[in-house]
Amino acid sequence: MFRLFFLCCLSIGIAHAAPANADDDDLEALINQSLVVSEISQMGQRVGNQASELVVNAMGFLGVPYKRGGTEATGFDCSGFVRAMYENTLGLVLPHNAKAQAAVTQTIDKDELQPGDLVFFNTLRRAFSHVGIYIGEGRFIHSPRAGGEVRIENMSDSYWRKRFNGARRVSASTLHNSSDSAIR
């Protein structure tokens, strides 16, 4: 029995020590490529999950009144709403100003929008004067104006379509997380 075991182990060792041929190299390359694709897929799922969490969290504030300078559940202005959602959900701190939020985020094309991206509008006759969070299917959530409340709008509505300024993606590499006291 011991001899049989020893011979099996020896043959496995010899087979493993044999020089690799082209088929083995192809197989190894395929396995490595599959691992990379799997890692990318998992990263995409994590990003997707974070965006979903951000959107779900934002929807929990539907109906909260607009409050100039507001950054809490008692009331938000547009940039305060975006800032609070990103900080509370993802730990990322954005400035409390729509134009400044545009400046620290990555420009993307409108057709690249994904849930969690930021959408900017010219509502006060100046660029980037309003911001909301894209939630998918051409819609965004925002805190609109005095007398309004957090709500969902369709970007294809005439008012928003005419005032659209651009889309941005929040990148953790350009921001700091909320535990970084230097940015508070």
Side-chain angles (χ1 to χ4, degrees):
M1 181 75 166
F2 178 76
R3 272 189 188 165
L4 181 61
F5 177 75
F6 180 75
L7 287 174
C8 286
C9 288
L10 186 58
S11 65
I12 291 170
I14 291 170
H16 182 68
N21 61 31
D23 290 339
D24 290 342
D25 288 343
D26 290 344
L27 180 60
E28 187 174 334
L30 181 62
I31 290 169
N32 287 337
Q33 185 178 12
S34 293
L35 291 173
V36 169
V37 169
S38 175
E39 286 179 36
I40 291 170
S41 175
Q42 289 173 356
M43 187 180 349
Q45 288 174 342
R46 281 192 303 272
V47 170
N49 289 343
Q50 288 179 335
S52 294
E53 191 177 331
L54 178 75
V55 169
V56 168
N57 187 34
M59 296 242 197
F61 291 91
L62 286 168
V64 171
Y66 178 93
K67 179 180 178 187
R68 182 175 168 88
T71 60
E72 300 176 357
T74 56
F76 298 104
D77 63 12
C78 68
S79 60
F81 176 69
V82 168
R83 177 186 166 108
M85 296 307 104
Y86 267 89
E87 185 172 8
N88 295 338
T89 308
L90 304 177
L92 298 175
V93 180
L94 289 162
H96 186 181
N97 173 285
K99 188 172 184 176
Q101 289 176 352
V104 299
T105 51
Q106 175 188 353
T107 302
I108 58 171
D109 289 331
K110 189 176 184 178
D111 60 353
E112 295 176 40
L113 276 167
Q114 298 174 5
D117 288 338
L118 303 183
V119 288
F120 291 89
F121 303 89
N122 176 342
T123 58
L124 299 174
R125 295 195 176 117
R126 67 177 187 271
F128 307 111
S129 54
H130 189 71
V131 62
I133 300 171
Y134 185 74
I135 63 172
E137 299 179 357
R139 300 177 307 151
F140 70 102
I141 187 169
H142 68 130
S143 186
R145 66 182 183 288
E149 53 191 34
V150 174
R151 65 181 180 224
I152 295 171
E153 305 273 4
N154 194 319
M155 291 175 59
S156 65
D157 288 351
S158 176
Y159 180 86
W160 298 110
R161 189 176 64 248
K162 290 177 185 176
R163 290 166 175 79
F164 181 74
N165 265 147
R168 301 286 193 275
R169 182 156 295 146
V170 176
S171 168
S173 64
T174 60
L175 300 173
H176 305 280
N177 66 34
S178 61
S179 63
D180 186 350
S181 59
I183 59 170
R184 290 192 162 259

